[in-house]
Amino acid sequence: MSNSNELLKNIVGYWDGVERKQAREQVGTDFSEQKGKTASDIAKLHPKRLQLTVSEIFQDTPSTKTFRLVQSKQSLVNKPLPPFQAGQYINLYTTIDGVETARPYAISSCPTHREYYDLTVKIVDGGFVTNYLLGDEVKVGQEFSSTSPMGTFYHNPIFHGDDLVFLAGGSGGAPARSMIESALNRDSNINFHLVYGNSYENDVIFQDTFRELADKYDNFQLSEVISRPTEGYEGLTGHLSKELITELTGDASSKTFYICGPTPFNDYCVEQLKALGVEDKRMRIECNGPPKKPSCLDGWPEVVSEVDEVTVTVKGRGQFVAQAGEPLLNSLERNGYTVENACRSGECSLCRVKVLSGEVFNPPESLLRKSDKDFGWVHSCVAFPTTDIEILY
Amino acid sequence: MSDSLTSNDFDAIVIGAGNAGLTAATALQRGGAKTLLLERHNIPGGCATSFVRGEFEFEVALHQLSGLGTEDKPFIMRKIFGELGVMDKVEFVQEHELYRMAVKDEFDITLPASWTGIRNVLIENFPAEEAGIKTFMTLCEQVTMESFMGLPMARKMNSEEMLMKNCKNYAEHGLRDAKSVLDEHFESEQLKTLLAAYWCYLGMPPKDINFCDLAVMLYAYGVFKPWHIKGGSQALSSALLESFLEAGGEVRFNCSVERIVTDQSGDKPTVKGIVTEFGEEISTGQVISNASTVVTFGDLLDTPVMPEGISKDFKSRDIGTSAFCLYLGMDKTPEQLGIKNASTFLSQTMDEELMHDTMSTMNPPVATMLTCYNVDDPSFAPPGKSQISLLCLQYGSVWEDIPVEKYAETKYAFAEHLLNQAEEFFPGFRASIEEVEVATPLTMMRYLNTPGGAIYGFQQNPEDGPLHRPRYDDVNGLHIAGSWQGMGGFQPTYMVGTSTAQAIVKKLKKQRSAEAAKKEMGVANV
């Protein structure tokens, strides 16, 4: 080293550098005071996991309950949870009948109250997790772990403007409640119109809350629409057709639309808005789980039926039999394989696995990168094995 | 790969699948070392990654890939990528301009990606400086060549004669600050600012960088061209992983390392293995850390105190810059937006020190950089649309004390500053946004796990280059590969990963043949 230093002294500026370095050594820190700081700074905004306890359960409607979740750790109860942007979700982990699984739920409470997150859950026909959550088993005091808040469905002031319409269907009322209440709290320039479609007039989530907000704020309009009204129902009925949207909200072209409901509801709304000439950038759609009937989608191989059995081999770990019509993530979980996941709708890419051999159907929900397609990576939450496959993760 | 070079679980374990981690792992495995690659995220790449929003796949970090050269005139990265087995797995896209630099009320000049082209444009715009331009460009070329050829040779031979004969220009100018060399050659402040634009790839203003670093960048991009990768830098990261897997390597995603375990009975600690976040202990004699040195030595290494050499080195270091970045999907083509070049530097001032000082504040940035990826390759966005990254450098420390509940509104407010600048140069910009994601220095911190969200490692002052900072050897078997012990950016990190791995493979093979020889001797003795 010393010889080499002698050589380098011939380079103009080298010795000055050595002296500057030595001077810095005298005054600098070895960063030992930063031990753990990077991790704790990250965790303030985005902890990998949250430990939550059910503190209250509200029966909102015959089909819906809201679970109020607070931090589990005794010293943290009623302390603020990580911040979130209204409209975001957490992925709630649970073990049902020995199967470790998870589901994402939009936070329905307002970001201004961070001592709890409210998750509002509406029953889904045959829903493995919703049936469990809405059954009698889940009680106050039960613990869950979850991701921190995530997702891209929220009001982005950079380009969404302040003339906003939320087209909500059923459980879409959950993020709508958080987004609308927080927008009205925050910014008096925002004009928000909620067009809320539900099947039955006795099953409207947050009906009272929305009506109270509509009374309180001039810049919030509420339109309730019922698709299966009882006889004599006097309110708006039918679907959120382009005619109805125009009648309720006026010129659609300069507004930003948030769309959240069951997938058929979302698809229908997008079609209606496109017919009204609404540009892509003015439609923000919340993803909503894997497709229920993947075999009806373009690109599904004709010879394969959803109930066909295929063998899934997890390289170096084992294999199991699954049905072609079931998302790969679900069958992996049922067979004891833990895969990181969050949105379970093809978007967040946490559940990537590599398909080494065989064929998988990726619906349009699967927001794959170009290189994922090149090298066989899929989002297992919306990937359907249409032949025997071998995967790596 | 059934046979390994050692009796450990793995011959080598690589922590982190960033550029250097990926090239190191691939070179190790292809070199015959049984290698495990651990990555805390769900995808390889580190900085070199992408994410999808709506119809857009956003390039996160690569602005211009250097060192590739053309097929006719290849340069070092083409060779390295070939050896790593990825040349047939990715497609490179050549950019046709070095950059456009527009300084408000001063000048607006575009430099082509051609060495003679640059000279012609400079002389055309600054005819009075013709002589200086020619001398300066010759000096850049000489210093670059000498730093790649003559200097390493002279150091290897430890020969003063070779140094003074083959690296004369480097010895006279290489370690001078870039500003003084520019001042010596030019009168025009505009010309100096234009030629120093690449300082932002290093993070320190021209008065605080070595001339050789600026010279190498100008010459390398000018002669060997700037490049993009189809599918973004993620495509190259995924290709490297593919090559690693093909060679028999093992990878685990969503798995961070909790601890590097050492045997502390000798003079120096010696690596024994690592412990994952799930508590699994895996044995190895070689750990290559692609994590920051601050995390590697401060948080992961199990010694009760930091090795003295590391501590001493750290004391003369500062955390480098991070960046504030807007990833924008636009519903117009680059032409419709008025964007003609892939890389544009936009500035309100020619004062680089002001630009650098502003990086330590929440004040509106006075200099931004705009990259539009589909100027040279329409496939970077859906038809009729375009993908843009608009960023300014900024130190992460100014974000660390913002209350969490103010974070979102603060980031949107700061984003407005960058958008205002873009709007000034490209009217109608804001109205064309279809998707946008805002990344602050804290976002960089979250995804890179670096102190201050640093994107280029430690600050790159003149005394922080390889001549002043020998590689760490304070822990046997622990190697640092990445921007934290060298230069930041793509080419340097790809290269350091490869060279680190090559040295380890060489050492392991030597060890094995020595052991085999010993065994044979033993047998002979019996």
Side-chain angles (χ1 to χ4, degrees), chain A residues 234-254:
Chain A
E234 288 183 353
L236 294 164
T237 58
H239 294 286
L240 307 195
S241 65
K242 55 183 186 291
E243 292 79 16
L244 184 66
I245 293 170
T246 308
E247 187 192 318
L248 294 174
T249 68
D251 176 22
S253 62
S254 65

Side-chain angles (χ1 to χ4, degrees), chain B residues 115 118-119 122 132-141:
Chain B
W115 200 233
I118 294 170
R119 190 174 58 209
L122 293 177
I133 290 167
K134 287 180 174 165
T135 329
F136 179 81
M137 290 185 71
T138 307
L139 186 62
C140 286
E141 181 172 355

Side-chain angles (χ1 to χ4, degrees), chain B residues 276-319:
Chain B
T276 69
E277 66 175 304
F278 307 106
E280 187 184 355
E281 187 162 348
I282 309 172
S283 68
T284 186
Q286 307 292 328
V287 166
I288 298 86
S289 177
N290 188 200
S292 77
T293 44
V294 176
V295 166
T296 304
F297 293 109
D299 295 336
L300 300 183
L301 186 67
D302 69 346
T303 56
V305 288
M306 207 184 284
E308 206 179 325
I310 305 297
S311 169
K312 190 173 164 202
D313 180 77
F314 279 10
K315 281 181 184 164
S316 60
R317 296 283 203 173
D318 287 294
I319 304 295

Side-chain angles (χ1 to χ4, degrees), chain A residues 338-351:
Chain A
T338 309
V339 182
E340 187 71 19
N341 67 87
C343 77
R344 301 180 79 97
S345 306
E347 201 179 75
C348 75
S349 98
L350 284 179
C351 64

Side-chain angles (χ1 to χ4, degrees), chain A residues 107-128:
Chain A
I107 302 169
S108 60
S109 51
C110 216
T112 40
H113 298 287
R114 286 192 294 121
E115 59 277 19
Y116 56 81
Y117 296 153
D118 282 349
L119 300 187
T120 301
V121 182
K122 187 177 163 78
I123 196 86
V124 178
D125 272 347
F128 183 51

Side-chain angles (χ1 to χ4, degrees), chain A residues 63-95:
Chain A
S63 72
T64 310
K65 280 182 186 174
T66 289
F67 299 88
R68 179 157 293 179
L69 300 167
V70 298
Q71 308 225 46
S72 297
K73 208 170 157 188
Q74 210 52 47
S75 59
L76 294 175
V77 175
N78 297 325
K79 291 269 165 34
L81 284 150
F84 64 99
Q85 298 185 71
Q88 289 189 306
Y89 66 86
I90 58 172
N91 193 34
L92 194 71
Y93 298 93
T94 179
T95 303

